[in-house]
Each structure stands twice: as C-alpha cells, then as structure tokens.
Amino acid sequence: MNEEQQKAAELIRLKARLFDMQEESQGLTEVLSAIAKRVGFTGQSLSALIEAVPEIEVVESE
C-alpha cells in the first residue's frame, strides 16, 4: 500500500469514528433531554442539570 492509499484508508477510518461519535452524541442528548423533562429542568448547563436531579439512595438486596 503506498502512502496515498494509506492516507485514504486513515481518512475513511476517521470518518467512520466521527459518524459513530455523532450517533453516540445524539443518543446522549436524547437521554439528557428525557432526564431534564422528568425533573422539570429548563436550563442549558449540564452541571446544573446534574444538581437538579434528586439523589436516590439505592439499597442492595441480599
């Protein structure tokens, strides 16, 4: 494989990774939106959203 073919292959790999990241980002956005709706959050800050979500104590069953 010559240098030009290697660069073309690397570009294809990078585009595939970017596409995967875009899909993952969209999924995370949907989850965060659902959480925001559930707790009645209307702000834009992720840290403020985290603070708006009530803390839930999880009790493990034995």
Short mmCIF file of all heavy atoms in Angstrom, two decimals:
data_model
loop_
_atom_site.label_atom_id
_atom_site.label_comp_id
_atom_site.label_asym_id
_atom_site.label_seq_id
_atom_site.Cartn_x
_atom_site.Cartn_y
_atom_site.Cartn_z
N MET A 1 0.86 -1.18 0.00
CA MET A 1 0.00 0.00 0.00
C MET A 1 0.90 1.23 0.00
O MET A 1 1.78 1.38 0.84
CB MET A 1 -0.89 -0.03 1.25
CG MET A 1 -2.11 0.84 1.15
SD MET A 1 -3.09 0.83 2.66
CE MET A 1 -4.35 -0.35 2.26
N ASN A 2 0.67 2.13 -0.96
CA ASN A 2 1.51 3.32 -1.00
C ASN A 2 0.99 4.37 0.00
O ASN A 2 -0.07 4.21 0.61
CB ASN A 2 1.62 3.88 -2.42
CG ASN A 2 0.30 4.41 -2.95
OD1 ASN A 2 -0.53 4.88 -2.18
ND2 ASN A 2 0.12 4.35 -4.26
N GLU A 3 1.73 5.45 0.13
CA GLU A 3 1.40 6.47 1.12
C GLU A 3 0.02 7.10 0.87
O GLU A 3 -0.74 7.35 1.80
CB GLU A 3 2.47 7.56 1.12
CG GLU A 3 2.30 8.57 2.22
CD GLU A 3 3.43 9.59 2.27
OE1 GLU A 3 4.52 9.31 1.74
OE2 GLU A 3 3.20 10.66 2.84
N GLU A 4 -0.31 7.33 -0.38
CA GLU A 4 -1.61 7.93 -0.71
C GLU A 4 -2.75 7.00 -0.32
O GLU A 4 -3.76 7.44 0.24
CB GLU A 4 -1.67 8.24 -2.20
CG GLU A 4 -2.89 9.03 -2.60
CD GLU A 4 -2.86 9.45 -4.06
OE1 GLU A 4 -1.80 9.88 -4.55
OE2 GLU A 4 -3.92 9.34 -4.69
N GLN A 5 -2.61 5.71 -0.56
CA GLN A 5 -3.63 4.75 -0.19
C GLN A 5 -3.76 4.65 1.33
O GLN A 5 -4.86 4.51 1.85
CB GLN A 5 -3.30 3.38 -0.78
CG GLN A 5 -3.46 3.31 -2.28
CD GLN A 5 -2.94 2.00 -2.85
OE1 GLN A 5 -1.96 1.44 -2.35
NE2 GLN A 5 -3.59 1.52 -3.91
N GLN A 6 -2.62 4.74 2.03
CA GLN A 6 -2.65 4.69 3.49
C GLN A 6 -3.40 5.91 4.05
O GLN A 6 -4.20 5.78 4.98
CB GLN A 6 -1.24 4.64 4.06
CG GLN A 6 -0.55 3.32 3.85
CD GLN A 6 0.89 3.33 4.33
OE1 GLN A 6 1.49 4.38 4.52
NE2 GLN A 6 1.46 2.14 4.52
N LYS A 7 -3.16 7.07 3.46
CA LYS A 7 -3.84 8.28 3.92
C LYS A 7 -5.34 8.19 3.63
O LYS A 7 -6.16 8.59 4.45
CB LYS A 7 -3.25 9.52 3.25
CG LYS A 7 -1.90 9.89 3.80
CD LYS A 7 -1.34 11.13 3.14
CE LYS A 7 0.02 11.47 3.71
NZ LYS A 7 0.59 12.68 3.10
N ALA A 8 -5.70 7.65 2.48
CA ALA A 8 -7.11 7.49 2.14
C ALA A 8 -7.79 6.51 3.11
O ALA A 8 -8.92 6.75 3.56
CB ALA A 8 -7.25 7.01 0.70
N ALA A 9 -7.11 5.43 3.45
CA ALA A 9 -7.66 4.45 4.38
C ALA A 9 -7.82 5.07 5.77
O ALA A 9 -8.83 4.86 6.45
CB ALA A 9 -6.76 3.22 4.44
N GLU A 10 -6.84 5.85 6.20
CA GLU A 10 -6.92 6.51 7.50
C GLU A 10 -8.07 7.51 7.52
O GLU A 10 -8.79 7.61 8.51
CB GLU A 10 -5.59 7.23 7.81
CG GLU A 10 -5.58 7.96 9.13
CD GLU A 10 -5.69 7.05 10.36
OE1 GLU A 10 -5.48 5.84 10.24
OE2 GLU A 10 -6.00 7.57 11.43
N LEU A 11 -8.27 8.23 6.44
CA LEU A 11 -9.38 9.18 6.34
C LEU A 11 -10.72 8.46 6.47
O LEU A 11 -11.62 8.92 7.17
CB LEU A 11 -9.30 9.95 5.02
CG LEU A 11 -10.37 11.01 4.79
CD1 LEU A 11 -10.33 12.06 5.89
CD2 LEU A 11 -10.19 11.64 3.43
N ILE A 12 -10.85 7.33 5.84
CA ILE A 12 -12.08 6.54 5.93
C ILE A 12 -12.31 6.08 7.36
O ILE A 12 -13.43 6.17 7.88
CB ILE A 12 -12.03 5.33 4.96
CG1 ILE A 12 -12.12 5.83 3.51
CG2 ILE A 12 -13.15 4.33 5.26
CD1 ILE A 12 -11.81 4.78 2.47
N ARG A 13 -11.26 5.62 8.04
CA ARG A 13 -11.38 5.20 9.44
C ARG A 13 -11.81 6.37 10.33
O ARG A 13 -12.66 6.22 11.21
CB ARG A 13 -10.07 4.59 9.95
CG ARG A 13 -9.80 3.19 9.45
CD ARG A 13 -8.65 2.53 10.18
NE ARG A 13 -7.37 3.18 9.92
CZ ARG A 13 -6.56 2.93 8.90
NH1 ARG A 13 -6.91 2.01 8.02
NH2 ARG A 13 -5.43 3.56 8.75
N LEU A 14 -11.20 7.54 10.09
CA LEU A 14 -11.54 8.72 10.90
C LEU A 14 -12.99 9.16 10.67
O LEU A 14 -13.68 9.54 11.60
CB LEU A 14 -10.57 9.86 10.60
CG LEU A 14 -9.14 9.65 11.11
CD1 LEU A 14 -8.24 10.76 10.58
CD2 LEU A 14 -9.10 9.59 12.62
N LYS A 15 -13.44 9.11 9.42
CA LYS A 15 -14.83 9.45 9.12
C LYS A 15 -15.79 8.48 9.81
O LYS A 15 -16.83 8.88 10.32
CB LYS A 15 -15.07 9.46 7.61
CG LYS A 15 -14.51 10.67 6.92
CD LYS A 15 -14.83 10.63 5.42
CE LYS A 15 -14.30 11.85 4.71
NZ LYS A 15 -14.64 11.82 3.27
N ALA A 16 -15.44 7.21 9.83
CA ALA A 16 -16.28 6.21 10.49
C ALA A 16 -16.35 6.48 11.99
O ALA A 16 -17.42 6.40 12.60
CB ALA A 16 -15.75 4.81 10.22
N ARG A 17 -15.21 6.82 12.59
CA ARG A 17 -15.20 7.14 14.03
C ARG A 17 -16.04 8.38 14.31
O ARG A 17 -16.78 8.43 15.29
CB ARG A 17 -13.77 7.38 14.50
CG ARG A 17 -12.97 6.08 14.64
CD ARG A 17 -11.57 6.32 15.14
NE ARG A 17 -11.58 6.96 16.45
CZ ARG A 17 -10.54 7.59 16.97
NH1 ARG A 17 -9.41 7.70 16.30
NH2 ARG A 17 -10.62 8.14 18.16
N LEU A 18 -15.94 9.38 13.44
CA LEU A 18 -16.72 10.59 13.61
C LEU A 18 -18.21 10.29 13.54
O LEU A 18 -19.01 10.77 14.35
CB LEU A 18 -16.34 11.63 12.55
CG LEU A 18 -17.09 12.96 12.58
CD1 LEU A 18 -16.89 13.66 13.92
CD2 LEU A 18 -16.63 13.84 11.45
N PHE A 19 -18.61 9.46 12.59
CA PHE A 19 -20.01 9.07 12.45
C PHE A 19 -20.50 8.35 13.71
O PHE A 19 -21.58 8.64 14.22
CB PHE A 19 -20.19 8.18 11.22
CG PHE A 19 -21.61 7.76 10.99
CD1 PHE A 19 -22.55 8.67 10.51
CD2 PHE A 19 -22.02 6.47 11.27
CE1 PHE A 19 -23.87 8.28 10.31
CE2 PHE A 19 -23.33 6.07 11.07
CZ PHE A 19 -24.26 6.99 10.59
N ASP A 20 -19.68 7.43 14.23
CA ASP A 20 -20.04 6.71 15.46
C ASP A 20 -20.20 7.68 16.63
O ASP A 20 -21.13 7.56 17.42
CB ASP A 20 -18.98 5.66 15.80
CG ASP A 20 -18.99 4.47 14.86
OD1 ASP A 20 -20.00 4.30 14.13
OD2 ASP A 20 -17.99 3.73 14.84
N MET A 21 -19.29 8.65 16.72
CA MET A 21 -19.36 9.64 17.81
C MET A 21 -20.60 10.51 17.68
O MET A 21 -21.22 10.87 18.69
CB MET A 21 -18.10 10.50 17.82
CG MET A 21 -16.88 9.79 18.30
SD MET A 21 -15.47 10.92 18.23
CE MET A 21 -14.13 9.80 18.53
N GLN A 22 -20.97 10.85 16.46
CA GLN A 22 -22.17 11.66 16.25
C GLN A 22 -23.41 10.89 16.71
O GLN A 22 -24.30 11.45 17.34
CB GLN A 22 -22.31 12.06 14.78
CG GLN A 22 -21.34 13.14 14.37
CD GLN A 22 -21.39 13.43 12.88
OE1 GLN A 22 -21.64 12.54 12.07
NE2 GLN A 22 -21.15 14.67 12.51
N GLU A 23 -23.48 9.60 16.38
CA GLU A 23 -24.61 8.77 16.80
C GLU A 23 -24.65 8.66 18.32
O GLU A 23 -25.71 8.76 18.93
CB GLU A 23 -24.52 7.38 16.18
CG GLU A 23 -24.87 7.34 14.72
CD GLU A 23 -24.87 5.93 14.17
OE1 GLU A 23 -24.16 5.05 14.71
OE2 GLU A 23 -25.58 5.69 13.19
N GLU A 24 -23.49 8.47 18.94
CA GLU A 24 -23.43 8.36 20.40
C GLU A 24 -23.85 9.68 21.04
O GLU A 24 -24.59 9.70 22.02
CB GLU A 24 -22.01 8.00 20.83
CG GLU A 24 -21.89 7.76 22.32
CD GLU A 24 -20.51 7.28 22.71
OE1 GLU A 24 -19.86 6.56 21.93
OE2 GLU A 24 -20.08 7.62 23.82
N SER A 25 -23.39 10.77 20.48
CA SER A 25 -23.74 12.09 21.00
C SER A 25 -25.25 12.32 20.92
O SER A 25 -25.86 12.84 21.86
CB SER A 25 -23.01 13.18 20.21
OG SER A 25 -23.43 14.46 20.61
N GLN A 26 -25.86 11.92 19.82
CA GLN A 26 -27.31 12.07 19.66
C GLN A 26 -28.05 11.25 20.71
O GLN A 26 -29.02 11.71 21.31
CB GLN A 26 -27.75 11.64 18.25
CG GLN A 26 -29.24 11.77 18.02
CD GLN A 26 -29.76 13.19 18.14
OE1 GLN A 26 -29.07 14.14 17.82
NE2 GLN A 26 -30.97 13.34 18.63
N GLY A 27 -27.56 10.05 20.95
CA GLY A 27 -28.19 9.20 21.98
C GLY A 27 -28.07 9.82 23.36
O GLY A 27 -29.04 9.83 24.13
N LEU A 28 -26.92 10.37 23.68
CA LEU A 28 -26.73 11.02 24.98
C LEU A 28 -27.62 12.25 25.10
O LEU A 28 -28.19 12.51 26.16
CB LEU A 28 -25.27 11.40 25.17
CG LEU A 28 -24.30 10.25 25.37
CD1 LEU A 28 -22.86 10.75 25.37
CD2 LEU A 28 -24.60 9.50 26.65
N THR A 29 -27.75 13.00 24.02
CA THR A 29 -28.61 14.18 24.03
C THR A 29 -30.05 13.79 24.32
O THR A 29 -30.74 14.45 25.10
CB THR A 29 -28.51 14.92 22.68
OG1 THR A 29 -27.16 15.35 22.51
CG2 THR A 29 -29.43 16.11 22.63
N GLU A 30 -30.51 12.71 23.71
CA GLU A 30 -31.87 12.24 23.94
C GLU A 30 -32.07 11.82 25.40
O GLU A 30 -33.10 12.14 26.00
CB GLU A 30 -32.19 11.08 23.00
CG GLU A 30 -32.33 11.52 21.55
CD GLU A 30 -32.47 10.36 20.59
OE1 GLU A 30 -32.59 9.20 21.04
OE2 GLU A 30 -32.45 10.61 19.37
N VAL A 31 -31.10 11.14 25.96
CA VAL A 31 -31.20 10.72 27.37
C VAL A 31 -31.22 11.93 28.28
O VAL A 31 -32.05 12.03 29.19
CB VAL A 31 -30.02 9.77 27.74
CG1 VAL A 31 -29.94 9.56 29.24
CG2 VAL A 31 -30.17 8.44 27.02
N LEU A 32 -30.32 12.88 28.05
CA LEU A 32 -30.27 14.09 28.88
C LEU A 32 -31.56 14.89 28.76
O LEU A 32 -32.05 15.44 29.75
CB LEU A 32 -29.06 14.94 28.52
CG LEU A 32 -27.71 14.35 28.90
CD1 LEU A 32 -26.57 15.18 28.32
CD2 LEU A 32 -27.58 14.21 30.40
N SER A 33 -32.12 14.95 27.56
CA SER A 33 -33.38 15.66 27.37
C SER A 33 -34.51 15.01 28.15
O SER A 33 -35.33 15.69 28.77
CB SER A 33 -33.75 15.72 25.89
OG SER A 33 -32.82 16.49 25.17
N ALA A 34 -34.54 13.68 28.13
CA ALA A 34 -35.57 12.96 28.88
C ALA A 34 -35.43 13.21 30.37
O ALA A 34 -36.42 13.42 31.08
CB ALA A 34 -35.49 11.46 28.57
N ILE A 35 -34.20 13.21 30.86
CA ILE A 35 -33.96 13.47 32.28
C ILE A 35 -34.40 14.89 32.63
O ILE A 35 -35.06 15.13 33.64
CB ILE A 35 -32.48 13.25 32.64
CG1 ILE A 35 -32.13 11.76 32.54
CG2 ILE A 35 -32.16 13.79 34.04
CD1 ILE A 35 -30.65 11.46 32.62
N ALA A 36 -34.03 15.86 31.78
CA ALA A 36 -34.39 17.25 32.02
C ALA A 36 -35.91 17.43 32.09
O ALA A 36 -36.42 18.12 32.97
CB ALA A 36 -33.79 18.15 30.93
N LYS A 37 -36.62 16.78 31.18
CA LYS A 37 -38.08 16.86 31.19
C LYS A 37 -38.64 16.26 32.47
O LYS A 37 -39.56 16.80 33.08
CB LYS A 37 -38.67 16.13 29.99
CG LYS A 37 -38.59 16.90 28.71
CD LYS A 37 -39.23 16.12 27.57
CE LYS A 37 -39.05 16.83 26.25
NZ LYS A 37 -39.62 16.07 25.14
N ARG A 38 -38.08 15.15 32.87
CA ARG A 38 -38.59 14.43 34.06
C ARG A 38 -38.45 15.26 35.34
O ARG A 38 -39.31 15.22 36.20
CB ARG A 38 -37.84 13.11 34.20
CG ARG A 38 -38.32 12.29 35.34
CD ARG A 38 -38.67 10.96 34.85
NE ARG A 38 -39.33 10.21 35.90
CZ ARG A 38 -39.65 8.99 35.78
NH1 ARG A 38 -39.40 8.36 34.67
NH2 ARG A 38 -40.26 8.35 36.75
N VAL A 39 -37.34 16.03 35.44
CA VAL A 39 -37.13 16.82 36.66
C VAL A 39 -37.55 18.27 36.47
O VAL A 39 -37.37 19.10 37.36
CB VAL A 39 -35.65 16.75 37.13
CG1 VAL A 39 -35.28 15.33 37.49
CG2 VAL A 39 -34.69 17.36 36.12
N GLY A 40 -38.12 18.61 35.30
CA GLY A 40 -38.60 19.96 35.04
C GLY A 40 -37.49 20.98 34.86
O GLY A 40 -37.66 22.16 35.16
N PHE A 41 -36.35 20.54 34.33
CA PHE A 41 -35.19 21.42 34.15
C PHE A 41 -35.29 22.13 32.81
O PHE A 41 -35.55 21.51 31.79
CB PHE A 41 -33.90 20.59 34.22
CG PHE A 41 -32.65 21.40 34.09
CD1 PHE A 41 -32.20 22.16 35.15
CD2 PHE A 41 -31.92 21.39 32.91
CE1 PHE A 41 -31.04 22.90 35.04
CE2 PHE A 41 -30.76 22.13 32.80
CZ PHE A 41 -30.32 22.89 33.86
N THR A 42 -35.06 23.46 32.80
CA THR A 42 -35.13 24.22 31.55
C THR A 42 -33.83 24.92 31.22
O THR A 42 -33.74 25.62 30.21
CB THR A 42 -36.26 25.27 31.60
OG1 THR A 42 -36.02 26.14 32.71
CG2 THR A 42 -37.62 24.61 31.74
N GLY A 43 -32.80 24.76 32.03
CA GLY A 43 -31.52 25.44 31.79
C GLY A 43 -30.71 24.77 30.70
O GLY A 43 -31.15 23.84 30.04
N GLN A 44 -29.48 25.26 30.54
CA GLN A 44 -28.61 24.74 29.49
C GLN A 44 -27.35 24.07 30.04
O GLN A 44 -26.64 23.41 29.31
CB GLN A 44 -28.18 25.89 28.55
CG GLN A 44 -29.32 26.49 27.78
CD GLN A 44 -29.91 25.53 26.77
OE1 GLN A 44 -29.18 24.85 26.06
NE2 GLN A 44 -31.22 25.43 26.73
N SER A 45 -27.05 24.26 31.30
CA SER A 45 -25.81 23.77 31.89
C SER A 45 -25.94 22.31 32.34
O SER A 45 -26.87 21.95 33.06
CB SER A 45 -25.44 24.65 33.10
OG SER A 45 -24.43 24.04 33.85
N LEU A 46 -25.00 21.49 31.91
CA LEU A 46 -25.01 20.09 32.31
C LEU A 46 -24.81 19.96 33.81
O LEU A 46 -25.48 19.16 34.47
CB LEU A 46 -23.93 19.31 31.57
CG LEU A 46 -23.80 17.82 31.91
CD1 LEU A 46 -25.11 17.09 31.66
CD2 LEU A 46 -22.68 17.19 31.12
N SER A 47 -23.92 20.77 34.39
CA SER A 47 -23.69 20.68 35.83
C SER A 47 -24.95 21.10 36.60
O SER A 47 -25.27 20.51 37.63
CB SER A 47 -22.49 21.52 36.26
OG SER A 47 -22.68 22.87 35.91
N ALA A 48 -25.69 22.08 36.09
CA ALA A 48 -26.93 22.49 36.74
C ALA A 48 -27.98 21.39 36.63
O ALA A 48 -28.75 21.16 37.56
CB ALA A 48 -27.46 23.79 36.15
N LEU A 49 -28.02 20.69 35.50
CA LEU A 49 -28.95 19.57 35.34
C LEU A 49 -28.62 18.48 36.33
O LEU A 49 -29.51 17.92 36.98
CB LEU A 49 -28.89 19.01 33.91
CG LEU A 49 -29.68 17.72 33.65
CD1 LEU A 49 -31.16 17.91 33.97
CD2 LEU A 49 -29.48 17.25 32.23
N ILE A 50 -27.36 18.18 36.49
CA ILE A 50 -26.94 17.14 37.44
C ILE A 50 -27.39 17.51 38.85
O ILE A 50 -27.88 16.68 39.60
CB ILE A 50 -25.42 16.91 37.37
CG1 ILE A 50 -25.07 16.26 36.03
CG2 ILE A 50 -24.93 16.05 38.53
CD1 ILE A 50 -23.60 16.21 35.72
N GLU A 51 -27.23 18.78 39.21
CA GLU A 51 -27.65 19.24 40.53
C GLU A 51 -29.17 19.21 40.68
O GLU A 51 -29.69 19.03 41.78
CB GLU A 51 -27.13 20.65 40.79
CG GLU A 51 -25.63 20.70 40.99
CD GLU A 51 -25.11 22.10 41.22
OE1 GLU A 51 -25.90 22.98 41.61
OE2 GLU A 51 -23.91 22.31 40.99
N ALA A 52 -29.91 19.36 39.57
CA ALA A 52 -31.37 19.37 39.62
C ALA A 52 -31.96 17.99 39.81
O ALA A 52 -33.09 17.85 40.26
CB ALA A 52 -31.93 19.99 38.33
N VAL A 53 -31.20 16.96 39.49
CA VAL A 53 -31.69 15.59 39.62
C VAL A 53 -31.57 15.18 41.09
O VAL A 53 -30.49 15.26 41.67
CB VAL A 53 -30.88 14.62 38.73
CG1 VAL A 53 -31.31 13.18 38.95
CG2 VAL A 53 -31.03 15.01 37.26
N PRO A 54 -32.67 14.75 41.69
CA PRO A 54 -32.62 14.36 43.10
C PRO A 54 -31.75 13.13 43.30
O PRO A 54 -31.67 12.26 42.44
CB PRO A 54 -34.07 14.06 43.45
CG PRO A 54 -34.76 13.85 42.15
CD PRO A 54 -33.99 14.59 41.11
N GLU A 55 -31.08 13.10 44.44
CA GLU A 55 -30.24 11.97 44.76
C GLU A 55 -31.12 10.81 45.22
O GLU A 55 -32.04 11.00 46.01
CB GLU A 55 -29.27 12.36 45.88
CG GLU A 55 -28.08 11.46 45.96
CD GLU A 55 -27.02 12.01 46.90
OE1 GLU A 55 -26.59 13.14 46.71
OE2 GLU A 55 -26.65 11.27 47.83
N ILE A 56 -30.83 9.64 44.71
CA ILE A 56 -31.62 8.45 45.04
C ILE A 56 -30.72 7.47 45.77
O ILE A 56 -29.64 7.15 45.30
CB ILE A 56 -32.20 7.80 43.78
CG1 ILE A 56 -33.12 8.79 43.06
CG2 ILE A 56 -32.94 6.52 44.12
CD1 ILE A 56 -33.57 8.31 41.71
N GLU A 57 -31.18 7.01 46.91
CA GLU A 57 -30.41 6.03 47.66
C GLU A 57 -30.80 4.63 47.16
O GLU A 57 -31.97 4.28 47.12
CB GLU A 57 -30.71 6.14 49.15
CG GLU A 57 -29.83 5.25 50.00
CD GLU A 57 -30.07 5.46 51.47
OE1 GLU A 57 -30.35 6.61 51.88
OE2 GLU A 57 -30.01 4.48 52.21
N VAL A 58 -29.80 3.87 46.80
CA VAL A 58 -30.03 2.52 46.30
C VAL A 58 -29.71 1.53 47.41
O VAL A 58 -28.63 1.56 47.97
CB VAL A 58 -29.16 2.22 45.06
CG1 VAL A 58 -29.37 0.80 44.59
CG2 VAL A 58 -29.46 3.21 43.95
N VAL A 59 -30.66 0.68 47.72
CA VAL A 59 -30.47 -0.34 48.74
C VAL A 59 -30.35 -1.68 48.02
O VAL A 59 -31.24 -2.08 47.28
CB VAL A 59 -31.65 -0.36 49.73
CG1 VAL A 59 -31.46 -1.46 50.76
CG2 VAL A 59 -31.84 1.00 50.37
N GLU A 60 -29.22 -2.33 48.23
CA GLU A 60 -29.00 -3.62 47.58
C GLU A 60 -29.68 -4.71 48.38
O GLU A 60 -29.60 -4.75 49.59
CB GLU A 60 -27.51 -3.89 47.46
CG GLU A 60 -26.80 -2.95 46.53
CD GLU A 60 -25.33 -3.29 46.37
OE1 GLU A 60 -24.95 -4.46 46.56
OE2 GLU A 60 -24.56 -2.36 46.07
N SER A 61 -30.36 -5.61 47.67
CA SER A 61 -30.99 -6.74 48.35
C SER A 61 -29.98 -7.89 48.42
O SER A 61 -29.15 -8.06 47.54
CB SER A 61 -32.25 -7.18 47.61
OG SER A 61 -31.92 -7.54 46.30
N GLU A 62 -30.09 -8.65 49.48
CA GLU A 62 -29.14 -9.75 49.67
C GLU A 62 -29.69 -11.06 49.19
O GLU A 62 -30.77 -11.38 49.10
CB GLU A 62 -28.78 -9.84 51.15
CG GLU A 62 -28.02 -8.62 51.59
CD GLU A 62 -27.63 -8.72 53.05
OE1 GLU A 62 -27.39 -9.82 53.56
OE2 GLU A 62 -27.60 -7.67 53.69
#
